Amino acid sequence: MADYGPAAPHGPDMSGQHPSMVNPQFDMSEDEARVFSRLLKPDDSYDENGVYWADMGWFKRARFVLSTDYAEYKREGASVWEMFKKDPLSPVSFYFRNMVLPGAGLGLEGYVLFSIGNLKPLFQKGFPACWGTKAGQGGACNDTWLAAIEYMEIVGIIFGQILVGVIGDWLGRRWGLIQDATIMFIGLLMLTAMWGVTLNGWIICYVWSLFFYGVGVGGEYPMTATSGMENAVGSGKVSTKEDRLHRGRKVTSAFLMQGWGQFFNQVLLILLLLIFHHGSGNPPYSEVAVQWTFRISFAIPAVGTLWLVYYRTYKMKSASKQLQLQKKKSNVTGYDTQSLKMTFTHFGGRVIATAGAWYMNDVFFYGNKLFQSEFISVVTKGSPSIMPGWLYNLINVGVSLCGYYLASFFIDNKLYGRKHMQTVGFMMDFILFVIPAFKLDYFTDPANIKGFQAMYFLSSFFNQFGPNSVTFIAAAEVYPTAVRATAHGFSAAVGKLGALTAAVLYNYIDTQTKFYVVPWFGLAGVVLSVVFLPDTTGLDLKEQERRWALIRAGRGHEYHGVAVHPKHLSWWERSRGLGKQYDADADYAQRVQEMRKEWEVLMQEKADEKSGPLDQNDWEDLEHEFSHEVQEYFKKTSKSPILAGQEKQVPLLDGKRESDSDDTINEKRVV
């Protein structure tokens, strides 16, 4: 019979019935408060009296948040300085490993995805027989296939977002990441080598190459968001400071690589055209110059994508760790269909928020091209050169990058955070579009073009410093681990329907009507954000998993932690009474009790594996799950359930004990 080794010394309560195991509303002993307050009430979320930051009054909360953030910025600054003194390039290396590499896939897809719009004016100038004349009037290319260049790209992305989202929750994050990179690499080979016997045949090849590449692009959204978020959480029983304070920054820093992809694409296109067009950016553009320019522009990211396949295959072997742990706890081996059904039942409002807001945002994201095309047509005065358009687009991408970085800086700030950022961004975009909508002739007059330019750049800035950044993280963060990739992929797919809506709609209405229509999508985004979006800024994601485990077991009403704090719930959820479940004292006692039971079951499993007493090495092995201080406290306050020659005993949820066989031990395990 296995045992835990020599019986541990007991505290004053020799019965093994610690007060927290009998009645959750107990008076905390001094020892227990010392052991668990630091562990369960970390000083970045709780004040010295153990009050959660969202329970504080506004002024006290502001002082607490500002002082906590200042201390963290000071700590990070000192850490960076120490790194710099040891090696001046080490901070750059740190940024590359922790920010650039996680978002490399989005950077590469941003490069290619936005190159389609950048290449269109070059193709129009280089192949006028294809783009300049309608097919029915002797043109070389079919109009339907020309329009399909934009449509099929979006359709491929939608397909990939849904498909890979499901695969990511079914087979794991790592498999999805590898698959995305492989598909994008093959797609880039197709784009680099695409050809046709006729111009129309080449366009058809172009369309299907974009569709194939788009499948990989679509999968990048749920895989980058979920893997980046879960890597910040850690694998212990409690969350890390990195998760609580910098989870949003970590994910947004990966997402903003999409902006750098756009930037480098535009820079390389300008340089390549100058190289292959004899140092001039002015027309006429030869077919040879156009061919070399676009093919080399696709070949360069193909090399980076091939390296990404290698990196994800051999250097990201633990990307699925959080998902595997959650499946083990839920006793699920394949796809968790039960969690998917329950997500729509319990989190239906969140689905409306993440999918609906992303739809509204993508209409705006596409609508920003309205500003660009109208602005450039005025400042260039009908110039046949494509260079002015490319240069102004480069400036706009630079403005967007400022928005991306500012979003990463503020997205974890508890006084502003996700929900406020998205709401303000939508409102600002609404204002910046509705003003020129009713004064379009005035603002497009050359005398007033600077005002139009300011609104154009500001709309790009607030789109990034707002809904475009927040929708990406919220669509993963507000859902449980088991279906996180699926929910994110679904939300992103609905968002791409917004881009498809704009692409189709703009072909049937004039510019003035476009400006009349687009602003109201921003106002709708404000409403969806205010009513249905929960604010997960500063929320411990492991608390969300605790709540989900009880929901999945049909006991959601028993959860009383911060995941149901009114601050972290949407207006819709609060109106249904969920916020009334929050009870800080009851939840604290429950968390101690859960940790005790988890510890005892882990010891039982360890003893069973050895078929003998645990030694010092075994205790050290358990410290990645529970700290030494916690283990010592549990040994002192719990009667050792297994001694040599005694039958095995496992604690039940109500604190009683009963004899169990080996087969039922895991069933008693508390999530």
Side-chain angles (χ1 to χ4, degrees):
M1 184 69 69
D3 66 81
Y4 293 157
H10 299 297
D13 182 5
M14 298 296 291
S15 67
Q17 298 292 327
H18 188 269
S20 66
M21 299 180 70
V22 178
N23 179 8
Q25 301 293 343
F26 65 95
D27 294 327
M28 187 71 69
S29 69
E30 183 178 343
D31 284 343
E32 189 161 316
R34 176 181 56 80
V35 172
F36 290 102
S37 289
R38 184 172 65 255
L39 184 66
L40 300 181
K41 294 187 176 183
D43 59 6
D44 55 81
S45 298
Y46 295 82
D47 68 7
E48 65 278 3
N49 298 317
V51 178
Y52 188 55
W53 68 268
D55 286 324
M56 302 174 190
W58 197 91
F59 288 105
K60 186 175 181 180
R61 181 190 304 178
R63 288 197 302 270
F64 175 80
V65 170
L66 292 175
S67 63
T68 301
D69 288 352
Y70 174 76
E72 181 64 9
Y73 295 146
K74 187 176 180 180
R75 183 195 66 79
E76 288 189 317
S79 178
V80 171
W81 177 243
E82 288 300 318
M83 292 169 59
F84 180 82
K85 288 192 295 184
K86 293 179 180 178
D87 180 358
L89 293 180
S90 60
V92 178
S93 175
F94 177 85
Y95 179 81
F96 186 82
R97 290 194 312 271
N98 292 276
M99 309 299 181
V100 175
L101 283 180
L106 284 172
L108 289 164
E109 66 89 4
Y111 176 102
V112 178
L113 189 64
F114 292 93
S115 72
I116 311 308
N118 294 333
L119 286 171
K120 184 176 179 180
L122 180 63
F123 289 158
Q124 289 173 331
K125 299 292 184 180
F127 303 106
C130 184
W131 264 274
T133 308
K134 293 185 178 297
Q137 301 172 356
C141 299
N142 183 279
D143 297 336
T144 301
W145 283 109
L146 288 175
I149 292 174
E150 293 184 7
Y151 301 160
M152 290 299 287
E153 173 194 22
I154 296 174
V155 171
I157 294 172
I158 293 173
F159 181 76
Q161 286 167 334
I162 296 175
L163 174 66
V164 182
V166 173
I167 289 175
D169 286 330
W170 184 11
L171 302 179
R173 317 301 192 216
R174 179 171 174 263
W175 176 260
L177 287 166
I178 295 171
Q179 175 184 277
D180 291 337
T182 303
I183 291 175
M184 289 195 295
F185 173 67
I186 297 173
L188 280 167
L189 294 182
M190 294 168 64
L191 288 167
T192 302
M194 60 185 177
W195 203 265
V197 176
T198 64
L199 273 176
N200 196 61
W202 169 65
I203 292 297
I204 294 173
C205 186
Y206 185 28
V207 168
W208 285 111
S209 298
L210 286 175
F211 172 82
F212 188 86
Y213 184 82
V215 174
V217 169
E220 276 299 298
Y221 283 77
M223 289 300 95
T224 301
T226 55
S227 60
M229 182 176 300
E230 290 166 3
N231 286 342
V233 174
S235 59
K237 297 301 172 188
V238 293
S239 67
T240 63
K241 180 176 284 190
E242 179 73 14
D243 168 45
R244 294 186 299 270
L245 294 182
H246 304 307
R247 184 175 67 243
R249 184 180 69 183
K250 188 178 184 72
V251 177
T252 307
S253 296
F255 180 60
L256 67 81
M257 289 305 298
Q258 186 182 73
W260 281 112
Q262 299 176 53
F263 179 84
F264 285 116
N265 173 255
Q266 191 64 87
V267 169
L268 279 173
L269 282 176
I270 292 172
L271 294 176
L272 289 171
L273 183 61
L274 292 175
I275 292 171
F276 295 113
H277 194 52
H278 312 296
S280 170
N282 298 319
Y285 306 104
S286 68
E287 291 187 8
V288 174
V290 174
Q291 291 270 1
W292 276 104
T293 298
F294 89 79
R295 293 188 190 279
I296 296 298
S297 74
F298 285 136
I300 291 173
V303 177
T305 308
L306 180 60
W307 177 86
L308 192 62
V309 175
Y310 157 79
Y311 179 81
R312 289 178 173 180
T313 302
Y314 294 100
K315 304 296 183 180
M316 296 186 68
K317 295 184 178 181
S318 62
S320 301
K321 187 173 183 178
Q322 287 296 317
L323 178 66
Q324 292 168 350
L325 290 172
Q326 193 60 38
K327 284 188 173 183
K328 182 179 179 181
K329 290 180 178 180
S330 301
N331 196 27
V332 174
T333 55
Y335 188 84
D336 194 345
T337 54
Q338 180 183 350
S339 289
L340 181 63
K341 293 176 183 177
M342 296 183 72
T343 296
F344 282 92
T345 301
H346 293 272
F347 291 161
R350 299 186 178 197
V351 175
I352 294 173
T354 58
W358 208 325
Y359 178 91
M360 304 304 167
N361 174 68
D362 270 26
V363 173
F364 256 105
F365 194 77
Y366 197 93
N368 189 253
K369 295 180 181 179
L370 290 175
F371 269 124
Q372 180 177 333
S373 60
E374 289 302 306
F375 169 71
I376 291 174
S377 66
V378 174
V379 297
T380 60
K381 298 178 180 180
S383 170
S385 175
I386 64 173
M387 277 298 179
W390 278 3
L391 291 172
Y392 275 109
N393 183 58
L394 188 61
I395 296 173
N396 189 45
V397 173
V399 172
S400 297
L401 278 170
C402 293
Y404 277 119
Y405 275 101
L406 202 61
S408 69
F409 185 78
F410 278 98
I411 202 163
D412 286 312
N413 184 281
K414 297 181 180 71
L415 301 179
Y416 193 63
R418 285 98 153 122
K419 186 166 184 172
H420 288 142
M421 186 182 294
Q422 178 162 301
T423 304
V424 171
F426 267 129
M427 180 58 73
M428 290 303 299
D429 275 341
F430 166 72
I431 294 171
L432 290 167
F433 267 80
V434 82
I435 291 175
F438 294 95
K439 288 284 186 178
L440 188 61
D441 291 338
Y442 173 82
F443 284 107
T444 53
D445 186 287
N448 305 308
I449 195 62
K450 289 186 177 179
F452 193 74
Q453 180 185 17
M455 289 185 288
Y456 163 45
F457 288 144
L458 284 172
S459 69
S460 296
F461 173 82
F462 278 104
N463 187 253
Q464 311 309 330
F465 183 53
N468 201 43
S469 293
V470 178
T471 51
F472 182 79
I473 183 173
E477 198 172 46
V478 302
Y479 299 109
T481 301
V483 294
R484 181 168 287 148
T486 302
H488 190 282
F490 173 78
S491 300
V494 174
K496 274 295 174 282
L497 288 177
L500 190 61
T501 299
V504 174
L505 182 64
Y506 291 176
N507 288 325
Y508 296 96
I509 57 178
D510 59 22
T511 300
Q512 177 65 74
T513 306
K514 293 173 187 175
F515 272 96
Y516 282 146
V517 170
V518 169
W520 308 106
F521 287 92
L523 193 59
V526 172
V527 173
L528 288 172
S529 301
V530 170
V531 176
F532 294 107
L533 183 67
D535 191 354
T536 47
T537 307
L539 175 63
D540 185 336
L541 276 194
K542 292 200 172 180
E543 282 300 297
Q544 187 161 274
E545 292 305 314
R546 284 184 63 228
R547 181 193 173 200
W548 180 252
L550 290 171
I551 290 175
R552 198 176 184 280
R555 298 158 46 208
H557 61 281
E558 295 180 17
Y559 178 79
H560 305 292
V562 294
V564 291
H565 192 291
K567 173 65 178 176
H568 298 307
L569 298 175
S570 67
W571 177 88
W572 173 255
E573 290 170 327
R574 293 195 301 271
S575 69
R576 299 173 64 196
L578 286 178
K580 296 178 181 179
Q581 291 181 206
Y582 176 65
D583 187 329
D585 293 334
D587 180 65
Y588 186 87
Q590 188 178 39
R591 291 171 72 188
V592 174
Q593 183 181 358
E594 289 173 359
M595 289 182 67
R596 180 191 302 278
K597 294 166 186 172
E598 191 79 14
W599 173 78
E600 289 181 345
V601 173
L602 282 174
M603 286 201 305
Q604 173 68 75
E605 292 175 349
K606 195 78 173 176
D608 287 346
E609 290 176 6
K610 287 198 65 177
S611 298
L614 301 186
D615 56 27
Q616 186 61 35
N617 292 331
D618 296 317
W619 291 113
E620 291 176 358
D621 288 341
L622 290 173
E623 288 208 12
H624 77 283
E625 299 282 355
F626 299 97
S627 69
H628 174 74
E629 192 175 22
V630 169
Q631 292 194 62
E632 286 300 313
Y633 180 78
F634 284 157
K635 283 193 288 183
K636 290 178 181 178
T637 58
S638 296
K639 178 178 288 185
S640 183
I642 296 183
L643 298 174
Q646 294 183 349
E647 67 179 300
K648 299 177 183 179
Q649 296 175 316
V650 179
L652 294 178
L653 291 177
D654 60 1
K656 299 176 182 178
R657 299 179 183 276
E658 73 171 22
S659 298
D660 273 348
S661 66
D662 290 343
D663 295 333
T664 61
I665 288 174
N666 287 333
E667 295 177 2
K668 302 295 183 183
R669 188 167 182 171
V670 178
V671 178

